[in-house]
Amino acid sequence: MFGNKAKREEGVGLLRAEVDRLAALSLPDLATEVMTKVFGTGGPGADGSALTVVSAANVFISEESAWSNDDLTREQLVRVVGEGVQMLEHAGLVGQQIVLVGNEHWALGSKLTRSGESALAQGGVANAVGGMS
């Protein structure tokens, strides 16, 4: 019982620190990090899957920070990661697609484009979004 409370408190602090770190990045740097972690090698979107912004934001939640029960901080994380995804979309590196969430809900998701694949492969994500801020 007490162990879970300590884990939740630690998780809240870790999640808050990650949100603050991401929010402090310039928009091009944020977009580059989102692209690399979410759609790059090992990311859930690397296989061409379309992801909702919530799924993209979940990539930035560590195992330890997952214990956080602070909904406001999670909402802020989704908002910040969403800004990065939007920059990627404006640069043509990801495109929008309707995604089935669960068995009966639909949402707007983002999917890697051929330009995005090329930018990742050539290390050109920062250049693609750098002039957009």
Side-chain angles (χ1 to χ4, degrees), residues 11-121:
V12 167
L14 291 169
L15 188 60
R16 174 83 261 149
E18 181 66 353
V19 170
D20 291 345
R21 182 187 72 78
L22 292 169
L25 295 174
S26 68
L27 286 175
D29 288 345
L30 173 64
T32 300
E33 184 158 346
V34 169
M35 182 69 157
T36 303
K37 286 192 174 182
V38 176
F39 298 99
T41 303
D47 65 356
S49 297
L51 304 173
T52 66
V53 69
V54 173
S55 295
N58 285 341
V59 171
F60 294 90
I61 300 175
S62 68
E63 189 175 321
E64 295 81 17
S65 66
W67 280 89
S68 173
N69 59 354
D70 183 357
D71 290 339
L72 179 60
T73 302
R74 287 179 184 263
E75 289 173 19
Q76 290 170 339
L77 176 65
V78 169
R79 189 171 34 252
V80 170
V81 170
E83 289 178 350
V85 171
Q86 185 178 36
M87 287 284 296
L88 296 172
E89 181 185 334
H90 288 241
L93 303 180
V94 299
Q96 293 184 343
Q97 180 176 327
I98 300 297
V99 178
L100 179 62
V101 179
N103 292 325
E104 56 189 60
H105 298 285
W106 295 91
L108 190 58
S110 298
K111 182 177 180 174
L112 197 57
T113 64
R114 288 184 294 171
S115 294
E117 289 173 357
S118 177
L120 279 168

